[in-house]
Amino acid sequence: DRSNGALRRVETSCRGWNALKVGGCSSKTTYLRFLNNQRFEWTSDKALGRQSASKYYPNTEGITFHNGKLTFVSKAWYVIYTLDFDTMTWARERTGRGKLIGEGSFLGQPDGVISGYNQRYMYFTEEDEKGNGMYARDEWGKYYTVFEAISGQFVGDETVGLSVSPDGKTMYAGYQEKGVLFAIKRKDDKEWERYR
C-alpha cells in the first residue's frame, strides 16, 4: 500500500506452506515492470519495479490468481489490473464508479479482491471515509452491491476478510476497526461462486 511498492514474485524450489520459511530452498525474487501500455515483464532490478509501481500502479492491495491471470487493485487510482501470464500483457479498468447495479455507491478505494472459480465474478472490499461495502463485478463488466453500510455506520472503517464457506452458501466479510463479521446468504438460496 505504498506509492512505489513494487509487486514482487518469489519463485522457490520447494513446495507447500514451508517453501518460503524453511532453509534449503533456493528462491528468486523479481518485480513487476510495465514496459508500456500493453506489455509487462518480471525484473530482478527492484528500482525498476518501484519506478513502474509509481508510474503505473501505486498503492496496490488485494491480489488473486487464477487460470494464468493475476488481478490486483490500485487503491490510489481506483483501478483493477489484470496480468495475462500467457501473453505477458496487462489491462486495466476503473472500479464500479458510476455504473453500479442496485443500491449503494462503490466510491471508496478498492481494497481486497477475490475471483470466483469460474471467473464469472470478482468480489471487492472497500476502504472509504463515508461508508464501506462489498461489491461484485461480473464477467461482462457490470458492478453490483453485495452489501453496504447504512449512513453513519462504520465511518472510516474498511471491509475485510472476504471468504466463502466450503458449501458455497455463505459469504463472509467484516469491518476491520469495529470487529464485526457478516455471514451473508443469497435470497434465492443458491451458492455464491466459490473461489480458489
Side-chain angles (χ1 to χ4, degrees):
D1 191 12
R2 294 177 57 185
S3 63
N4 69 345
L7 185 66
R8 60 185 74 198
R9 176 177 72 167
V10 177
E11 297 173 283
T12 179
S13 62
C14 296
R15 299 281 180 238
W17 176 253
N18 291 322
L20 300 175
K21 299 183 183 276
V22 175
C25 298
S26 61
S27 65
K28 176 183 173 185
T29 301
T30 52
Y31 305 89
L32 177 62
R33 180 180 179 214
F34 285 169
L35 299 173
N36 55 32
N37 287 333
Q38 192 173 20
R39 305 206 43 86
F40 72 92
E41 70 176 2
W42 295 99
T43 178
S44 58
D45 188 329
K46 189 175 188 178
L48 287 176
R50 286 188 170 181
Q51 285 174 350
S52 189
S54 292
K55 182 176 180 180
Y56 291 101
Y57 59 94
N59 303 90
T60 57
E61 277 201 25
I63 191 166
T64 186
F65 181 82
H66 184 65
N67 284 344
K69 293 187 177 174
L70 181 80
T71 302
F72 62 95
V73 296
S74 166
K75 291 176 74 167
W77 289 356
Y78 304 87
V79 172
I80 306 164
Y81 293 89
T82 302
L83 309 180
D84 187 322
F85 278 50
D86 294 331
T87 63
M88 296 300 283
T89 57
W90 62 276
R92 68 178 170 197
E93 71 175 78
R94 303 251 321 150
T95 53
R97 301 166 65 83
K99 52 183 175 181
L100 196 65
I101 296 172
E103 301 278 331
S105 59
F106 187 10
L107 297 176
Q109 295 177 323
D111 199 25
V113 58
I114 63 170
S115 180
Y117 180 73
N118 297 317
Q119 292 199 316
R120 289 186 50 228
Y121 294 94
M122 272 192 280
Y123 300 98
F124 301 91
T125 58
E126 176 187 40
E127 183 175 350
D128 186 23
E129 291 300 315
K130 296 179 182 171
N132 301 288
M134 184 175 75
Y135 307 90
R137 178 196 175 275
D138 69 19
E139 60 193 322
W140 300 283
K142 294 179 185 170
Y143 286 82
Y144 304 84
T145 302
V146 177
F147 75 85
E148 188 173 279
I150 56 175
S151 61
Q153 293 280 337
F154 308 106
V155 172
D157 211 331
E158 66 181 282
T159 47
V160 295
L162 201 48
S163 186
V164 177
S165 64
D167 68 0
K169 296 274 188 167
T170 308
M171 182 173 280
Y172 301 97
Y175 282 98
Q176 183 169 293
E177 299 299 321
K178 302 281 195 242
V180 175
L181 178 67
F182 294 100
I184 306 161
K185 294 183 179 262
R186 291 175 49 148
K187 286 182 181 179
D188 60 12
D189 201 39
K190 291 184 180 178
E191 292 183 7
W192 295 95
E193 184 182 13
R194 295 181 213 191
Y195 65 94
R196 286 188 148 183

